[in-house]
Amino acid sequence: MSGLDGGRRPIIVGIGGTIRAGSTTETALICALKRAEELGAETRLFGGEFLARLPIFDPRPGDPTPEQMELVEAVRNCDGVIVGSPGYHGSISGVVKNALDTLEITAKDATPYFHGRPVGAVVTAYGWQATGSTLSALRGIIHAMRGWPTPFGAALNSTAGLFDETGACRDAKDAWALGTVAEQVMEFARMRSGA
């Protein structure tokens, strides 16, 4: 496959995880980003450690922090996004929601939020009920932020342990789900570019 804009590699940004290093959600997001890299993307991860440093978004006028601007500029300059969230009490986590709220800084941009970009959704939860409601909530937020939610969203049940010690999926269906999200983000990014 060719790159974007005469050979440039697509840039895919991953946002998500929990504040726990090596969380299941962050590992799932990393797996999806690795698949995007295999397909030719340049990727950038805003994982739990970064999200923990983001201040709670304050919509009142003021100067954004360097961390807020780092996230905002990455999204402004990307071709696609993959968002990963744990299922907390039936919805997305506070740190992921805060990262998405931070993108309100782009509200007055010519292309605000996720405007026109493909956005994949990855959810992990301890049980099936939370995976479904969290995936639905995340897809609704992506749509509200003018993104193109990919047709497939990965909902992974973590009760049996999803990853081995190397970070690889234990179950082929989970690897397929994460790969499918990445493939669809890449396909839509290339279609949008006219490549």
Side-chain angles (χ1 to χ4, degrees):
M1 291 184 191
S2 62
L4 301 175
D5 297 333
R8 178 179 70 78
R9 294 169 63 194
I11 299 169
I12 307 300
V13 169
I15 302 169
T18 72
I19 60 173
R20 181 174 58 84
S23 71
T24 299
T25 305
E26 188 169 313
T27 303
L29 185 55
I30 289 168
C31 285
L33 291 174
K34 283 182 180 174
R35 179 61 183 141
E37 288 173 359
E38 290 170 0
L39 295 169
E42 177 183 332
T43 65
R44 175 88 187 273
L45 172 67
F46 291 91
E49 182 182 337
F50 178 88
L51 300 182
R53 296 194 321 263
L54 275 179
I56 297 296
F57 177 70
D58 184 346
R60 294 173 295 185
D63 293 329
T65 67
E67 290 81 9
Q68 288 175 315
M69 288 311 301
E70 186 177 353
L71 175 62
V72 164
E73 290 301 327
V75 172
R76 279 176 173 156
N77 295 308
C78 76
D79 302 295
V81 180
I82 302 174
V83 180
S85 179
Y88 283 179
H89 307 119
S91 194
I92 69 171
S93 69
V95 294
V96 172
K97 182 63 165 65
N98 185 54
L100 299 177
D101 289 346
T102 298
L103 298 177
E104 183 64 20
I105 292 169
T106 69
K108 295 190 186 319
D109 288 6
T111 54
Y113 315 116
F114 295 137
H115 182 85
R117 293 178 187 86
V119 184
V122 171
V123 169
T124 66
Y126 198 80
W128 286 117
Q129 181 171 331
T131 61
S133 59
T134 303
L135 182 60
S136 179
L138 181 54
R139 290 171 62 86
I141 292 167
I142 292 165
H143 192 252
M145 295 179 72
R146 305 184 191 182
W148 296 353
T150 55
F152 185 82
L156 308 181
N157 183 341
S158 64
T159 53
L162 294 171
F163 304 101
D164 64 22
E165 59 282 351
T166 70
C169 291
R170 294 181 189 277
D171 192 316
K173 71 175 174 37
D174 294 331
W176 176 87
L178 296 171
T180 298
V181 169
E183 289 160 13
Q184 289 183 354
V185 169
M186 289 290 287
E187 180 180 359
F188 278 60
R190 291 184 193 282
M191 285 169 53
R192 181 173 180 263
S193 74

